[in-house]
Amino acid sequence: MYEKYWKQMGDKATIVIPGWQSMSYFSDVKNLCWFLEPEFAKQIVRVHKVVGNALTEGRHIVVGTGSSQLFSAALYALAPQDASNPISVVSAAPYYSCYPLMTDSIKSGLHKWAGDAKVFNKDEPYIELVTSPNNPDGFIRHSMVNRTGGILVHDLAYYWPQYTPISSPADNDLTLFTVSKITGHAGMRIGWALVKDVEVAKKMTKFIELNTIGVSKDSQIRAAKVLEVVSDSCEQAGGSEHVESFFHFSHALMTERWRMLREAVKRSGIFSLPEFSSAHCNFFDNKLGSQPAFAWLKCDGDDVDDCESFLRRHKILTRGGKHFGVSPKYVRISMMDREETYDLFIQRLSQIRS
Ligand SMILES: Cc1ncc(COP(=O)(O)O)c(C=O)c1O
């Protein structure tokens, strides 16, 4: 959905990498994360400062092949290495459908998926994944296990101004971010973690070393350029040139998509959507609502038990609630597809009536 913006940017975000460049495994041998490109690290710090969504001071940056690799690295680093049983990993339902699959994919002796954080009551150590705004339902979240002492991993993939008001800079022990949801460059496969504890950061780096001996330099250099253009656009937007910041563009696009969706849902009479309260966004300096990257749609009618199958019959592909640990009456719909696909989706949804 952000292709149009990047087309408008033309050569501003183009990079050329000569054949002799970036050949070594190493990026910065003196850094804890020795495969982190210094220019990429610089642009991460800059974009967080420009947007105001996370503190970077006193944090170690660990780069990963997408935040997916960093998720596995975080579990590896946080799980006690000498425990007799794998540590429980939980997240409040509805949770991101990849968490259970990724946690248990290699049947590690270190960690195991233990389901919904809201009902976890075992008197044993645990890791809680806090996704905010949440995938799939878009709500702002905090830890939900009803006791202290858990280890928290914050997945803030969607904590950017086009999706949700930026109320304060995140200040967590371990926070994950990904280029894919900020700028749309999912195919670069680049994410980063901001990590307070040096030993945890070292272990995460070790995991990536054992897993892929580092992270593509080409991708990091490209990601650095794209983030640089984003930060430049925000700084220039305040000036006299009539430059539109990336977040003004993407926020306006999401506003329009959510307007279209809410209108179609209202007309249908059989679906409902979450309602979000507004909050002050420090980035836009305005009171704004949320407009998540996914729509968490509910089929309200008694005669529809499986909303995913129901919508498939109307040629709309979604992901059903059971993947996210809840009822099949819910489905997750991507709000981030290309314009033609999104328009077709709204057109088809508008034809469904109670
Ligand atoms: C909450 C959340 N975390 C992580 C990811 C994965 O991000 P990446 O593309 O960086 O691996 C996604 C992708 O959908 C996501 O929704």
Side-chain angles (χ1 to χ4, degrees):
M1 76 185 271
Y2 303 139
E3 259 173 10
K4 194 170 153 205
Y5 181 85
W6 293 109
K7 280 184 182 161
Q8 279 172 19
M9 286 302 105
D11 277 350
K12 274 192 187 165
T14 301
I15 55 162
V16 176
I17 306 179
W20 52 267
Q21 203 179 297
S22 309
M23 293 175 68
S24 164
Y25 281 118
F26 302 99
S27 293
D28 186 0
V29 284
K30 291 197 204 78
N31 193 19
L32 180 152
C33 183
W34 54 266
F35 46 82
L36 171 63
E37 281 291 308
E39 180 59 22
F40 181 48
K42 188 177 135 192
Q43 295 303 335
I44 288 170
V45 171
R46 184 176 170 216
V47 79
H48 283 309
K49 190 149 263 133
V50 167
V51 174
N53 64 342
L55 298 180
T56 54
E57 293 85 8
R59 262 79 177 173
H60 302 278
I61 300 175
V62 182
V63 62
T65 299
S67 65
S68 302
Q69 188 182 35
L70 290 161
F71 171 82
S72 301
L75 295 190
Y76 170 82
L78 296 170
Q81 306 281 315
D82 49 2
S84 49
N85 290 313
I87 190 168
S88 293
V89 179
V90 297
S91 188
Y95 41 71
Y96 175 38
S97 52
C98 289
Y99 290 153
L101 305 173
M102 291 194 293
T103 304
D104 288 345
S105 65
I106 55 162
K107 299 201 189 305
S108 160
L110 294 176
H111 44 75
K112 64 164 191 292
W113 178 250
D116 187 356
K118 282 177 290 196
V119 295
F120 181 76
N121 58 8
K122 287 192 191 137
D123 189 17
E124 57 178 43
Y126 63 93
I127 296 174
E128 181 177 356
L129 311 167
V130 180
T131 312
S132 185
N134 190 39
N135 174 358
D137 64 13
F139 285 104
I140 292 295
R141 281 197 160 176
H142 303 282
S143 162
M144 295 226 198
V145 177
N146 191 15
R147 79 183 148 90
T148 54
I151 308 171
L152 301 184
V153 174
H154 283 81
D155 185 340
L156 301 196
Y158 303 96
Y159 192 45
W160 295 97
Q162 66 267 50
Y163 305 117
T164 195
I166 304 299
S167 52
S168 62
D171 180 11
N172 310 306
D173 288 341
L174 200 166
T175 311
L176 303 179
F177 285 101
T178 165
V179 169
S180 59
K181 316 301 172 190
I182 312 169
T183 67
H185 292 88
M188 276 186 201
R189 307 304 308 124
I190 290 287
W192 65 92
L194 303 177
V195 188
K196 246 188 207 168
D197 186 303
V198 65
E199 294 308 319
V200 173
K202 276 186 194 163
K203 278 191 202 157
M204 289 178 71
T205 302
K206 190 74 195 168
F207 176 91
I208 293 173
E209 188 181 317
L210 297 173
N211 196 225
T212 45
I213 328 183
V215 174
S216 164
K217 284 188 181 188
D218 295 4
S219 283
Q220 289 187 62
I221 294 167
R222 187 164 172 222
K225 173 52 78 182
V226 161
L227 291 187
E228 184 186 7
V229 172
V230 167
S231 295
D232 283 351
S233 78
C234 297
E235 285 175 357
Q236 288 161 5
S240 54
E241 305 158 63
H242 288 283
V243 178
E244 184 181 37
S245 90
F246 171 74
F247 295 112
H248 279 88
F249 172 92
S250 48
H251 187 272
L253 206 54
M254 288 305 281
T255 306
E256 176 55 11
R257 288 190 174 194
W258 272 93
R259 191 199 58 75
M260 287 161 77
L261 178 63
R262 287 203 186 275
E263 202 178 282
V265 162
K266 202 169 161 192
R267 255 186 278 124
S268 78
I270 54 166
F271 301 116
S272 59
L273 285 167
E275 294 294 337
F276 303 100
S277 43
S278 3
H280 185 81
C281 176
N282 294 338
F283 178 80
F284 287 120
D285 194 17
N286 208 347
K287 199 173 177 200
L288 295 167
S290 287
Q291 30 193 37
F294 295 102
W296 188 232
L297 189 80
K298 188 177 179 209
C299 277
D300 288 321
D302 286 339
D303 46 337
V304 183
D305 288 331
D306 180 345
C307 193
E308 183 179 347
S309 309
F310 174 72
L311 287 172
R312 195 180 304 118
R313 285 197 292 277
H314 291 86
K315 295 192 181 165
I316 297 173
L317 297 179
T318 62
R319 210 162 158 69
K322 64 179 188 303
H323 296 284
F324 307 91
V326 297
S327 154
K329 276 194 159 291
Y330 289 88
V331 290
R332 188 191 75 172
I333 296 167
S334 172
M335 298 292 284
M336 297 180 289
D337 217 311
R338 287 199 171 91
E339 196 169 300
E340 313 85 86
T341 316
Y342 190 77
D343 290 347
L344 197 56
F345 154 62
I346 293 292
Q347 194 188 318
R348 288 183 183 169
L349 192 72
S350 302
Q351 282 159 5
I352 307 174
R353 288 280 183 277
S354 51

